[in-house]
Amino acid sequence: MHVPPYYKKKSWQRLMIGAFFGAVIAYCLFMFMYGKMYEQMIEENLDLQVELSDLKKHNEALLKDNEDLDEQSKKRVTINSIETELIHAKELRLDPLIVHQLEELIKDDIGHLIGQDVAVISKSDRLLISTLENKTYNIDDFSYRLHIKKLIISQQLKITAHVKLGA
């Protein structure tokens, strides 16, 4: 029995070349779509991890503070949470993952303030600002510095900072 030599016909050659290039284009399209979806999943996972760690730290600080409460500490106002906002991150074209990591590093540095008296923190606000501005945060072989634009000390400590590439 003889197999016909289809590989010599132009129509079969075009079909095979078309199938090959179609497979390459489909593979590239699939990898692009998969990469976008995977990036979104990583970002969502990072958001949830940050939220979980914030809630754990918040819970630990509040439990510790709750154990130490007495009659006098019930009358004072304490810091319950920390919120950070980084401006100028879009102008530097920082990846959202780097922004999350930077916010997490800031919250780690000042996480001990949760449960502290607002009056004590407001007296040492310059120290808090100096602490954040003089620290260099290293993420992925880049160093970042902060310049505090706004600091609101209440039950929720709000920090608005200007991000700069630092050396």
Side-chain angles (χ1 to χ4, degrees):
M1 198 155 150
H2 179 68
V3 177
Y6 288 124
Y7 63 88
K8 292 183 180 179
K9 291 187 177 182
K10 289 287 183 188
S11 61
W12 279 95
Q13 288 176 352
R14 288 185 189 127
L15 177 71
M16 291 300 178
I17 290 174
F20 174 75
F21 284 119
V24 168
I25 291 171
Y27 179 75
C28 291
L29 184 65
F30 172 75
M31 290 308 293
F32 173 76
M33 290 171 42
Y34 178 75
K36 281 294 195 183
M37 183 221 33
Y38 194 70
E39 183 179 347
Q40 289 173 351
M41 295 295 283
I42 287 175
E43 189 172 328
E44 182 180 340
N45 187 12
L46 186 62
D47 286 339
L48 292 175
Q49 285 178 353
V50 167
E51 184 178 349
L52 179 66
S53 68
D54 284 346
L55 289 175
K56 282 183 180 179
K57 289 176 188 174
H58 184 258
N59 189 23
E60 289 173 6
L62 289 179
L63 286 175
K64 182 180 177 187
D65 188 46
N66 197 17
E67 291 173 359
D68 297 338
L69 281 179
D70 59 359
E71 192 64 34
Q72 186 181 22
S73 65
K74 289 181 183 177
K75 295 178 185 175
R76 64 185 174 142
V77 180
T78 59
I79 293 178
N80 293 332
S81 63
I82 299 172
E83 180 182 321
T84 59
E85 179 184 354
L86 301 176
I87 56 176
H88 194 64
K90 290 184 181 179
E91 287 83 8
L92 288 177
R93 295 182 181 171
L94 293 180
D95 189 30
L97 301 175
I98 292 176
V99 172
H100 288 299
Q101 289 175 350
L102 194 56
E103 287 177 350
E104 186 65 23
L105 288 173
I106 294 168
K107 288 179 183 178
D108 283 342
D109 282 345
I110 59 173
H112 66 280
L113 297 178
I114 294 178
Q116 298 291 323
D117 190 8
V118 172
V120 173
I121 302 300
S122 64
K123 288 180 185 176
S124 61
D125 61 340
R126 299 301 321 160
L127 177 64
L128 178 62
I129 291 171
S130 297
T131 301
L132 292 174
E133 286 182 348
N134 291 332
K135 176 137 187 193
T136 301
Y137 298 96
N138 294 319
I139 300 173
D140 295 336
D141 298 331
F142 290 103
S143 59
Y144 301 98
R145 297 185 63 88
L146 300 176
H147 178 71
I148 306 300
K149 290 290 185 182
K150 186 174 17 171
L151 177 68
I152 300 174
I153 301 173
S154 63
Q155 286 185 343
Q156 182 178 13
L157 181 64
K158 295 180 185 178
I159 298 171
T160 305
H162 182 80
V163 180
K164 296 185 280 189
L165 284 172

